[in-house]
Amino acid sequence: MNIEELLEAEWSEDLKNNIQLVKSNTSTHCIIWFEKEMDSSSSSSKEQKPSGGGGFFSSLASSISNFGSAMQKSVNGLVGYEGLEVINPDGGTEDSEVEAQKGRWKQEDRDGYWKIMHKYIGADVTSLVTLPVLIFEPMSMLQKMAEIMEYSYLLDLADDCEDPHMRLVYASCWFISVYYAMQRTWKPFNPILGETYEMTNHSGVTFISEQVSHHPPIGVAHAESEHFIYEITSKVRTKFLGNSVDVYPVGRTRLTLKKAGVELELVPPPSKVNNLIFGRTWVDSPGEMVVTNLTTGDKVVLYFQPCGWFGAGRYEVDGYVYNSAEEPKILMTGKWSESMSYQPCDLEGEPLPGTQLKEAWKLAEAPKNDKYQYTHFAHKLNSFDTAPKNLLASDSRLRPDRYALEKGDMSKAGSEKSSLEERQRAEKRARETKGHQFTPKWFEPSSDIFTTPWGDVEVYRNNGKYAEHRAAIDSSDSIEEVDVKSIEFNPWQYEDLTAE
């Protein structure tokens, strides 16, 4: 029996006997995959895709909780690395050693880093571990927060839209659009406390973000145009699993459409970074995304398919726009890596007769063979072309480690990163000695505590001072414009300190 015959076969009640058949007739790693994922099913998430379709996988999923998340082609059996698994998202047939050698790591780097990291299995490594520059991209997390602005035209469409349900189609497509950037396998730099990022010159949008906490890491952003106000308090919780890490978005995202007069709230799905050390690193975000209209009660529920066996389902997103009575009004389908489409539906979720599937959003063409998998917009975020005049000295573009990495100087990037981290520790010591607390410059903590499925977060709000700061600069003829190349990176509230 080959794999094709196996997938089409009727399974008997004695699943164990069938598994033994798999073991004797197919490659060993297939039986390891079945045994491992079956055993772990009881502890997996309860989230399931809305019912529909049929066949072998659908019937089996009905009896095993979240079997879809287990439908991964895993290449296991790394001798000497207990607890690790290398997951091939393309469903290749390489054995574990061949698959494990793929990726950006040299063998000696893999072995050395594993010795450092294995003790953190099960821990939250959000700000616990000092990571090598080898795995970084030349961008700060504050810059990556701004990548969602690339398709801001979708919010212009949503704000101008008279149909409240189509408004949610455009808004949810905007939230989906950032996942192409989020699936990059390089890690952005952790912002220094007090670091900022400013962006202008993009479709009338003004964007400001600031790192307001170091332990735990919390970044806050405010973006505004004539059509919308976007606010996010971004905090994540992680769980290191050996060769992968689960990432839980413990943050709050609010979007206000000015003309429409509505406020939307986002709850995104969790993500998983696979093959951190061994194999080709890749990112998956299985689960539900919920966008709720807090003003009307309408909402969008979209299911991000997990990457399945032989890569099946990867990138796929399906779901519905519901009215306040929780009746489906518009179905949505597509891939976050390509495009999203919509079609009006009946109360059963079936397409209305006489209607057609129409495209709402399409991914812009990206550069070919880009080292860091950047989009054209991501390159603009590192450029001073998107910076306002008299750029803040705390801006991420000015980080010496980021700049050195962008220029390809790994050694300098590593030393500059270590220097910044030591200065941050020195400033913390000085602050604690004086009994002072860090005070954000452009945001302030509110009394709101937002609850997510993965924990609570204290919400920060824009304090209005940045708008005043920019207005003063833009309206004044007496403020001399400074050459950005002469600005030294300085996010410190105290003087730029070094360790004694």
Side-chain angles (χ1 to χ4, degrees):
M1 176 179 282
N2 58 32
I3 287 182
E4 287 75 15
E5 292 171 333
L6 171 66
L7 295 180
E8 295 176 358
E10 292 292 334
W11 286 67
S12 68
E13 295 182 1
D14 190 350
L15 184 59
K16 184 177 180 180
N17 290 339
N18 284 283
I19 291 178
Q20 294 300 320
L21 182 63
V22 176
K23 186 173 183 179
S24 63
N25 288 279
T26 63
S27 58
T28 302
H29 59 251
C30 282
I31 177 60
I32 292 175
W33 175 78
F34 274 105
E35 289 176 336
K36 178 178 179 62
E37 299 300 345
M38 293 294 187
D39 290 344
S40 63
S41 64
S42 60
S43 60
S44 61
S45 169
K46 301 301 182 183
E47 293 180 349
Q48 294 188 15
K49 185 178 179 180
S51 60
F56 166 75
F57 284 128
S58 295
S59 61
L60 190 56
S62 66
S63 61
I64 300 177
S65 174
N66 199 30
F67 182 75
S69 66
M71 287 164 51
Q72 301 176 20
K73 175 69 185 302
S74 302
V75 186
N76 298 304
L78 291 174
V79 178
Y81 300 99
E82 185 178 356
L84 289 181
E85 68 174 358
V86 179
I87 302 174
N88 181 350
D90 300 323
T93 58
E94 296 90 344
D95 62 27
S96 60
E97 292 187 11
V98 173
E99 185 65 30
Q101 298 305 315
K102 296 183 177 180
R104 66 179 67 103
W105 295 83
K106 297 179 181 178
Q107 183 61 49
E108 57 270 24
D109 293 330
R110 290 190 187 95
D111 294 344
Y113 198 58
W114 169 243
K115 291 178 181 178
I116 297 173
M117 293 296 296
H118 79 276
K119 63 183 178 181
Y120 294 111
I121 292 178
D124 185 344
V125 293
T126 306
S127 58
L128 182 64
V129 183
T130 298
L131 301 171
V133 173
L134 169 69
I135 68 172
F136 282 77
E137 63 179 1
M139 181 181 288
S140 163
M141 190 63 200
L142 296 179
Q143 292 173 276
K144 193 153 187 171
M145 289 171 65
E147 287 198 70
I148 196 172
M149 291 297 137
E150 177 170 4
Y151 300 94
S152 60
Y153 75 87
L154 289 168
L155 299 185
D156 299 347
L157 293 175
D159 194 38
D160 286 333
C161 188
E162 296 295 332
D163 185 331
H165 304 125
M166 277 304 302
R167 186 179 298 139
L168 283 177
V169 169
Y170 292 125
S172 57
C173 283
W174 182 68
F175 285 122
I176 290 171
S177 69
V178 77
Y179 277 83
Y180 184 81
M182 291 178 65
Q183 57 90 36
R184 286 203 304 266
T185 59
W186 304 88
K187 183 187 182 305
F189 285 97
N190 286 342
I192 298 296
L193 187 62
E195 183 177 330
T196 60
Y197 178 73
E198 299 178 85
M199 184 189 72
T200 56
N201 304 325
H202 172 66
S203 302
V205 177
T206 298
F207 180 96
I208 176 68
S209 57
E210 181 178 13
Q211 191 73 2
V212 299
S213 173
H214 182 58
H215 288 295
I218 299 177
V220 185
H222 175 92
E224 190 163 353
S225 76
E226 64 174 317
H227 285 284
F228 68 87
I229 298 173
Y230 169 74
E231 297 175 298
I232 180 172
T233 298
S234 179
K235 174 185 174 184
V236 297
R237 182 171 66 83
T238 63
K239 185 176 182 180
F240 180 60
L241 301 172
N243 198 36
S244 63
V245 61
D246 289 340
V247 182
Y248 305 98
V250 187
R252 195 197 75 165
T253 302
R254 289 281 172 89
L255 175 66
T256 302
L257 299 176
K258 293 182 176 179
K259 180 180 176 182
V262 299
E263 188 174 50
L264 309 181
E265 181 176 272
L266 169 72
V267 177
S271 296
K272 184 168 188 172
V273 185
N274 300 281
N275 301 349
L276 281 174
I277 304 172
F278 299 89
R280 298 168 292 172
T281 306
W282 59 284
V283 182
D284 202 16
S285 298
E288 283 188 348
M289 169 187 282
V290 181
V291 180
T292 304
N293 186 330
L294 300 177
T295 307
T296 66
D298 299 342
K299 66 180 179 180
V300 182
V301 180
L302 297 170
Y303 184 81
F304 283 55
Q305 279 270 26
C307 180
W309 211 14
F310 301 113
R314 192 179 182 193
Y315 312 117
E316 292 182 6
V317 182
D318 300 285
Y320 295 95
V321 178
Y322 297 89
N323 62 16
S324 58
E326 299 188 353
E327 298 169 331
K329 302 300 292 184
I330 300 177
L331 66 85
M332 296 183 64
T333 186
K335 294 184 177 182
W336 53 258
S337 60
E338 297 179 8
S339 65
M340 288 297 298
S341 299
Y342 67 93
Q343 188 171 3
C345 65
D346 60 23
L347 294 181
E348 300 300 321
E350 296 297 327
L352 287 177
T355 64
Q356 294 182 334
L357 198 64
K358 295 183 179 180
E359 188 175 81
W361 162 78
K362 184 177 182 179
L363 185 77
E365 184 178 354
K368 303 294 184 183
N369 302 317
D370 191 89
K371 179 178 180 180
Y372 293 106
Q373 302 164 292
Y374 276 8
T375 62
H376 292 292
F377 185 72
H379 282 290
K380 290 181 180 180
L381 294 179
N382 269 342
S383 169
F384 290 104
D385 292 341
T386 55
K389 65 179 182 180
N390 290 46
L391 184 68
L392 294 171
S394 52
D395 194 88
S396 299
R397 297 178 185 84
L398 304 173
R399 285 184 62 139
D401 52 356
R402 187 213 64 78
Y403 184 75
L405 184 60
E406 185 178 30
K407 296 302 180 182
D409 192 336
M410 298 284 289
S411 178
K412 183 176 177 60
S415 62
E416 292 287 5
K417 177 176 177 288
S418 297
S419 176
L420 287 177
E421 290 168 347
E422 184 51 48
R423 292 177 186 178
Q424 182 167 232
R425 287 189 287 268
E427 189 190 43
K428 180 183 178 181
R429 289 194 294 269
R431 189 184 308 115
E432 290 176 346
T433 299
K434 297 178 180 180
H436 294 173
Q437 287 188 338
F438 173 80
T439 304
K441 193 168 185 178
W442 312 113
F443 297 88
E444 60 187 16
S446 69
S447 58
D448 294 344
I449 301 295
F450 185 69
T451 300
T452 77
W454 308 281
D456 296 342
V457 63
E458 180 183 25
V459 176
Y460 284 75
R461 297 187 185 281
N462 172 34
N463 61 15
K465 294 180 180 179
Y466 179 77
E468 295 175 0
H469 166 76
R470 275 290 147 220
I473 291 177
D474 294 340
S475 63
S476 177
D477 295 329
S478 60
I479 298 178
E480 183 178 353
E481 188 168 353
V482 179
D483 181 6
V484 291
K485 295 182 180 179
S486 67
I487 303 175
E488 182 179 354
F489 180 62
N490 181 13
W492 323 110
Q493 289 202 349
Y494 292 94
E495 292 183 3
D496 187 357
L497 303 171
T498 56
E500 297 179 359

